[in-house]
């Protein structure tokens, strides 16, 4: 159900529709809960959600929302409080508040917010099975169907070096090159997607697998391999959601020019808000309004 809602929001944003409205009069309780979790607001005639395909700083986002609220629909006025919050310069330094607003306005990105953003390397096989539909379609069997219907997933990695990973935050997925991808026509050694970091948990293989086994393709043997087959070694679980695939992958040379560092992305790498803004705008060039 939540995946269907996510697909509706994503489609609406791609089509430059700023709002999604649910007008069905009789909804089951689990549907109402799902809508509330996705920040739909109740109106006289149903439910309403703002979904903005924009990438702007906080002040410009505030102005954009203000203009939308002035349209001849009183339901839109429920979003007026966001105008004030986003126009307050102190708000951009409140990481949790800004991350929460990005979730409320998904897929909008508030480019000057102090939301920590990390480039995280991932091998093509894991990428295609966790989120990258294009890579999956290039393989013989494609991605697992049940995984394609999930919007919350987990990725395991070694605990260190962590690059300062923290939640809430953003991930830019850098799909690395491996032997299987060398002859592929699809672009690797590139940033191919963006996700939201919901939670980071450190723990031993068994406890992490028990906690997150429903969120992904990992079997216990895969989790144990991440811990170098040591049941007592602590590893990291990154819970992420709402992944956006980029229409234009950003290759390594271009990334290095943007971050002004000759990095190779062997582990998570934190980037500045300005670097994130540039990379995100390039990656979603056909979808977002700057």
């Amino acid at each position: 159900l939540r995946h269907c809602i996510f697909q509706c929001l994503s489609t609406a944003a791609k089509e430059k529709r700023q709002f999604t409205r649910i007008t069905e009069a009789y909804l089951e309780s689990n549907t109402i809960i799902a809508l509330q979790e996705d920040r739909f607001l109740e109106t006289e005639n149903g439910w309403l959600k703002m979904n903005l395909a924009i990438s702007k700083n906080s002040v410009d986002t505030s102005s954009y929302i203000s203009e939308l609220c002035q349209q001849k629909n009183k339901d839109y006025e429920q979003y007026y409080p966001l105008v004030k919050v986003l126009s307050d310069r102190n708000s951009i330094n409140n990481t949790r508040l800004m991350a929460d607003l990005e979730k409320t306005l998904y897929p909008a990105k508030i480019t000057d917010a102090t939301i920590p953003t990390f480039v995280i390397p991932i091998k093509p096989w894991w990428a295609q099975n966790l989120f990258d539909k294009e890579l999956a379609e290039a393989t013989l069997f494609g991605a697992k169907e049940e995984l394609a219907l999930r919007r919350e997933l987990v990725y395991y990695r070694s605990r260190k070096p962590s690059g300062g990973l923290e939640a809430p935050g953003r991930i830019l997925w850098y799909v690395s090159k491996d032997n299987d991808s060398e002859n592929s026509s699809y672009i690797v050694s590139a940033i191919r997607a963006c996700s939201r970091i919901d939670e980071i948990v450190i723990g031993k293989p068994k406890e992490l697998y028990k906690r997150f086994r429903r969120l992904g393709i990992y079997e216990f043997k895969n989790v144990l391999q991440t811990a170098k087959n040591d049941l007592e070694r602590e590893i990291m679980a990154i819970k992420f959601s709402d992944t956006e695939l980029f229409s234009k992958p950003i290759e390594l040379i271009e990334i290095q020019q943007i971050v002004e560092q000759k990095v190779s992305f062997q582990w998570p790498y934190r980037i500045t808000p300005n670097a994130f803004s540039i990379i995100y705008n390039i990656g979603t060039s056909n979808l977002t309004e700057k």
Side-chain angles (χ1 to χ4, degrees), residues 84-100:
K84 184 177 181 180
V85 172
L86 286 163
S87 61
D88 181 355
R89 295 301 298 172
N90 293 322
S91 295
I92 65 171
N93 295 318
N94 186 328
T95 299
R96 290 198 174 275
L97 175 60
M98 289 293 102
D100 190 66

Side-chain angles (χ1 to χ4, degrees), residues 2 8 33 39 48 80 141 150-151 161 177 195-196 229 238 243-244 246 253 255 264 286:
R2 292 203 64 214
C8 289
I33 291 171
R39 312 301 171 84
L48 183 71
Y80 260 126
F141 300 106
R150 294 177 183 166
R151 58 187 291 190
K177 181 183 291 186
S195 302
R196 178 170 51 246
N229 295 314
I238 305 170
T243 299
E244 301 170 75
F246 284 169
I253 293 177
I255 301 168
S264 57
N286 296 329

Side-chain angles (χ1 to χ4, degrees), residues 4-162:
C4 292
I5 295 172
F6 176 65
Q7 289 297 101
C8 289
L9 297 176
S10 299
T11 300
K14 288 177 183 178
E15 294 176 353
K16 306 296 183 183
R17 302 176 188 272
Q18 291 90 0
F19 293 91
T20 297
R21 187 183 293 275
I22 307 294
T23 57
E24 173 61 46
Y26 303 101
L27 297 174
E28 295 183 0
S29 58
N30 65 323
T31 302
I32 292 174
I33 291 171
L35 291 175
Q36 290 172 332
E37 288 177 348
D38 270 301
R39 312 301 171 84
F40 275 79
L41 302 178
E42 191 170 8
T43 67
E44 290 183 5
N45 301 312
W47 297 84
L48 183 71
K49 169 76 166 65
M50 183 178 280
N51 36 254
L52 306 180
I54 62 172
S55 172
K56 298 177 180 287
N57 63 40
S58 55
V59 173
D60 289 344
T61 302
S62 175
S63 298
Y64 188 82
I65 294 173
S66 179
E67 291 176 6
L68 291 176
C69 290
Q70 292 171 29
Q71 297 180 15
K72 295 180 180 179
N73 190 315
K74 66 178 182 179
D75 291 341
Y76 297 173
E77 295 176 0
Q78 294 189 71
Y79 285 95
Y80 260 126
L82 300 188
V83 174
K84 184 177 181 180
V85 172
L86 286 163
S87 61
D88 181 355
R89 295 301 298 172
N90 293 322
S91 295
I92 65 171
N93 295 318
N94 186 328
T95 299
R96 290 198 174 275
L97 175 60
M98 289 293 102
D100 190 66
L101 285 177
E102 283 198 353
K103 184 175 182 178
T104 298
L105 301 172
Y106 177 87
K109 297 295 180 287
I110 305 166
T111 56
D112 58 345
T114 55
I115 300 173
T117 303
F118 302 87
V119 178
I120 297 183
I122 185 171
K123 292 187 180 298
W125 191 89
W126 290 111
Q128 73 192 32
N129 282 284
L130 283 172
F131 58 80
D132 200 320
K133 181 180 178 182
E134 184 181 16
L135 283 176
E137 289 176 345
T139 67
L140 182 60
F141 300 106
K144 293 184 178 180
E145 182 178 358
E146 69 271 18
L147 200 67
L149 296 177
R150 294 177 183 166
R151 58 187 291 190
E152 295 178 325
L153 294 159
V154 68
Y155 177 64
Y156 297 94
R157 66 173 312 278
S158 57
R159 180 178 180 180
K160 295 180 179 180
S162 70

Side-chain angles (χ1 to χ4, degrees), residues 248-266:
K248 181 184 183 302
I250 301 94
E251 297 185 64
L252 180 60
I253 293 177
E254 188 172 8
I255 301 168
Q256 291 173 336
Q257 292 172 345
I258 293 169
V259 302
E260 299 180 339
Q261 294 284 337
K262 200 167 185 178
V263 290
S264 57
F265 301 118
Q266 300 298 312

